[in-house]
Amino acid sequence: MWLGPEEVLLAGALWVTERANPFFLLQRRRGHGKGGGLTGLLVGTLDVVLDSSARVAPYRILHQTQDSQVYWAVACGSSRKEITKHWEWLENNLLQTLSIFDNEEDITTFVKGKIHGIIAEENKNQQPQSEEDPGKFKEAELKMRKQFGMPEVEKLVNYYSCSYWKGRVPRQGWLYLTVNHLCFYSFLLGKEVTLVIQWVDVTQLEKNATLLFPECIKVSTRDSELYFSMFLNINETFKLMEQLANIAMRQLLDNESFLQDKSLPKPRKPLKNISALKRDLDARAKNECYRATFRLPKDECLDGHTDCTLWTPFNKMHIPGQMFVSNNYICFASKAEEACHLIIPLREVTIVEKADSSSVLPSPLSISTKSKMTFFFANLRDRDFLVQRISDFLQRTPSKKPCGSDREWKWNLGDPGCEEVPELPSSSPLAVSPPSALNNRPVNFCAGEVPTASQGLLKLFRRNSEELLGPKGAKEKMKEESWNIHFFEYGRGMCMYRTGKTRELVQKGIPENLRGELWLLFSGAWNEMFTHPGYYGDLVEKSMGKYNLATEEIERDLHRSMPEHPAFQNELGIAALRRVLTAYAFRNPTIGYCQAMNIVTSVLLLYCNEEEAFWLLVALCERMLPDYYNTRVVGALVDQGIFEELTREYLPQLSEKMQELGVISTISLSWFLTLFLSVMPFESAVVIVDCFFYEGIKFILQVSLAILDANMEKLLQCCDEGEAMTILGRYLDNVVNRQSVSPPIPHLHALLTSGDDPPLEIDIFDLIKTSYEKFSNLKADDIEQMRFKQRLKVIQSLEDTAKKSVVRAVSSDIGFSIEELEELYVVFKAKYLMSCYWGNNRAAAARRDQSLPYLEQYRIDMEQFKELFISLTPWSCGAHTPVLAGRLFRLLDENRDSLINFKEFVTGMSGMYHGDLTDKLKILYKLHLPPALNPEETESALEATSYFTEDVTTEETPEDKGRRNDNGQEKEEKGTSPQDYRYYLRMWAKEKESKKETIKDLPKMSQEQFIELCKTLYNMFSEDPVEQELYHAIATVASLLLRIGEVGKKFSSRPVRKSEDCKTNSTQDPVSEEESPTSEQSQNSAVEQQPQADHEDKTCGDPQPEKTQQENQTLGDGSGEGQGSPLQLLSDDETKDDMSMSSYSMVSTGSLQCEDIADDTVLVGCEGGSAAARYGSTIDTDWSISFEQILASMLTETALVNYFEKKVNILQKIKEQKKVERQFSSSSDYELSSVSG
């Protein structure tokens, strides 16, 4: 490419001049190309180590003048062809002009101007998007694509200089991190090392320092462990590797492929060597951290952050920290973790102004809200810019207050003591009419049909209790008063200052009257509810009366949700729970409904109205407990892994015992999924939920550790898992809340108390206090880091389980070994995943449904199957291979959804590799009959559609029809219908039955189908070492079979039928699009109705000896070396209409040579498009041959028998396929860590 002219002082250093003229030099880099000796090796090594390989192309052109010592680089090239093109252009267009100039300075100025002009012209045609990445980075990306054979869609994120440890020897080189791969390249003194690893194959990423490997990054896959060290910035590299591996895990988990964010703001100043993708990933990481810290909605994007101080009126201090500004929020986090957090929604802001500077408040910014609160931020570096950004966001913020948001409300009325909902008469909760229950906040979505819970069910179902008047009631009032004082000092609502004092109050238990309000605030659910008015109501309307798998499961679990609580012993509570769970299942069909959601939701409904409970459930499932409630409870398994890791760290002695007993995996799932609600008395567990909404998963983990710590002595003496479970169950049963004002609810957990001694009660507040005292040093950031590490482990473990399940399911019916099946599964899955991120469209990702059985989750289409078939088939047919692959795909795709699963794939492969001669020939035979032989290969596209439809409707059995209908329902309901599983069971049962097929069941083959079979065999043998023997053998067999078919016609006594066919053909419309396929179909069925053909064809040689001799003579004329045989005719270009192949009925007359027939019949088939021409003269409608006859004929030729009985090692084929996939040259000493599943 042309370069903006740059000065070069030493033109000869490290370069060899290959061509020269008075004004230009063409040079080659030493070490590139052949030769070069030791100097070349040293230069090549230096290029790699010093990153010259990314910057320096192997060829360049310099401009020079005779008297000047300065040279100017004007062009470079990655190949000799490219640089020669530039050189020739300079010679043809500039040399003559330059010779006219007298002054050397003028010559140089002219050349520079000309080159700049060429570059400007080229840049006009380039897309502006490419300008996002700096020039050096683009060069590195081109180098990466060329070096590792990656397509253009594979984007480089960043590259780093580092060493790869091969044994004990470090290989200095370059690590390229792309969206889907980790690549490494090194060239040291002629030794080349190349690594390519898919992120989806990474099982572990660790940053550690050992004696052998000083501060290195360890990348583990299932097959190997790789060590990289000597990074300039190891933390940055490791963080980026984590992000990319995490994106890959997301892809495995829920098909969420990576899409670059094109809406990122442009950097205020050019960023050197940072790609747009790297900026995108950095922004994502910051956004995720920002949203997690302040519990903000998932679509909130951080715009920027700056250091500042916040004036806190409650203690008259400046608290140092950072201000974060995003589209809809201004947030503040103090540097000391618990000093102060603040969230100001822009919808609440009324005034933003620059206040006067003073010694107390330097460069202050004042923000006032609707709730009459004013916040002062000081020590801002760029106050004017910040005010402008906030003003821009404020202008975009809708000022209209959504309807139905009355809860906001009372916080701003200045009476912190007033309750949100007037106390209702408790004597007859159901006597209250729905409208009166909705007076405070009208959210009646289904008025007139089902009563809607417009407030916490606890208020509706609170029974008269003496506790409200006794000491417990007094304690509750004190708690409420403490919170009211807190609201007065720190504010109430979203804009409350959240400090260590807030956490202390939460630890002491939230009063029941404030529980719903504070849960909404601390979880961030209030923000989403406020910004989506009416969303829940619309969902309820849409989901009412709809039925699918999720709603069936919800109905089954409704009456199991806190059945001991009076709120769920009547239709009001049950109906509210049903609506919330169903609405969420429709909002998020990926999750739908998962067991344990009913328990958590029922507790939310006790303290919140339906809409609030719905948004709390959204916050739980999508933000606070990510991936917990999907079909494989991945999130809970991840946190279970963290719990095991923390147990090893904090309770090492107990950890070994628990691992030995296998208890942690059993207990933690029920603890985490239900937030202890299913294992602890309700009054106690709800206090756990209070702290969870404030602290997040960190609190659940530290309480779990405290429970194990409290029972350590007993657990260490346990002999088995059951005993340990009993100890923990008894302990949790007796965790009590002595301050609860609600009447005790009988806990229906297993009655584990044994012996006469009364159980020892544990106060929930003491347990919480202990957990903070012993385990409070857990940090949210550390837990997120551990989550990443465990997510890799869990998802890869689930993928391994899936692989084993699939292999086990198919191994009994397939000839492949377990090892071969596992390797094939790896290749099959890799092909599917590759289509997800390298395909032109991302439809492949949409095909994977996690709710389907493992066997059905990865399915490939015809194009992907063709690629796999071409690389793995033992039957290489040259250019004909894709055609054969398409036919096999249609044969395997029994349900005709244009996708095949792994079992169908290996079934086809197994027949080719592990079948005997009969099995292999049977597959070949079937590949040349419908549905494998696509009608489009022999007819026009429109005729093909008609033919295929009629074929289906006439031959389809009622069972097939029912199966297709079920399949249609399955597609329509996206895997949620209960019919899905019954459909798959029927399908698998049918597959089992199909094994009973014998060779007698195969239909007969028509003449055109037989010719297609011969064409395939001819192509199959074309690259074989003994191809001449095979050609001779197949010519002999084909001649014999053509004669057998001819003789067989004599014994089919159907003269009436034949005359009818002729009559039909003569009267058909020449351009009819529908008659032709019908007539072909009828002729095929007629051919199959020859009752005596099988028996009589076998003896066809005896009754007609003269005829046979004549035919032998005719065919024998051109049989030498395969010339002139029917096979010669079949070697013509594939693009010819297959219907036009000459029939034997014409060959046997001896009137034409085969080559002439091929040309003539193409004309007949293509130009004379009438059915009469096709079926009457080209194709012999009565000719047919059976599979038994083909098999018997093949067995007579040793060459054919040897060919089909030859064993091929599929593992070797897979190994070769992986190498070819990366397009590596065989000359290099490559070390390829390829795709592994």
Side-chain angles (χ1 to χ4, degrees), residues 182-327:
L182 176 153
C183 308
F184 177 82
Y185 177 75
S186 170
F187 178 88
L188 283 174
L189 300 176
K191 289 288 184 181
E192 202 168 18
V193 175
T194 303
L195 296 172
V196 178
I197 298 167
Q198 280 190 318
W199 289 117
V200 290
D201 296 330
V202 174
T203 56
Q204 195 174 13
L205 274 178
E206 282 184 299
K207 184 178 67 175
N208 52 26
T210 63
L211 194 62
L212 183 61
F213 302 118
E215 198 173 31
C216 66
I217 294 174
K218 176 184 169 187
V219 180
S220 303
T221 66
R222 289 175 179 81
D223 307 321
S224 59
E225 291 182 351
L226 311 172
Y227 293 88
F228 300 94
S229 66
M230 299 186 194
F231 291 93
L232 289 175
N233 189 340
I234 192 168
N235 292 327
E236 180 198 328
T237 311
F238 186 68
K239 188 177 174 185
L240 181 57
M241 290 168 82
E242 279 190 330
Q243 275 184 286
L244 292 167
N246 216 5
I247 289 168
M249 292 308 105
R250 274 274 147 229
Q251 189 180 349
L252 285 177
L253 178 60
D254 52 18
N255 264 11
E256 204 177 274
S257 52
F258 177 80
L259 290 172
Q260 187 178 351
D261 184 2
K262 301 288 185 184
S263 62
L264 281 179
K266 296 285 182 189
R268 294 169 68 186
K269 58 183 181 182
L271 298 171
K272 202 172 182 183
N273 297 336
I274 296 182
S275 68
L277 262 177
K278 177 72 167 65
R279 286 177 52 227
D280 182 1
L281 286 167
D282 289 345
R284 283 171 191 240
K286 288 179 181 176
N287 283 334
E288 284 170 14
C289 182
Y290 170 62
R291 290 192 292 258
T293 303
F294 299 104
R295 307 273 168 81
L296 299 177
K298 290 181 81 174
D299 55 354
E300 196 62 25
C301 292
L302 179 65
D303 186 68
H305 57 90
T306 182
D307 290 336
C308 67
T309 57
L310 172 66
W311 173 254
T312 50
F314 51 86
N315 59 2
K316 307 290 188 295
M317 286 178 66
H318 286 292
I319 297 181
Q322 283 193 316
M323 175 196 278
F324 302 83
V325 179
S326 61
N327 312 27

Side-chain angles (χ1 to χ4, degrees), residues 39 60 92 115 240 242 294 307 445 470 473 547 662 813 880 893 924 967 987 1136:
T39 312
R60 70 178 181 183
N92 295 335
I115 299 299
L240 181 57
E242 279 190 330
F294 299 104
D307 290 336
F445 308 117
Y547 296 98
D813 308 323
H880 191 64
D893 182 23
L924 266 179
N967 190 34
M987 188 177 76
K1136 292 180 182 176

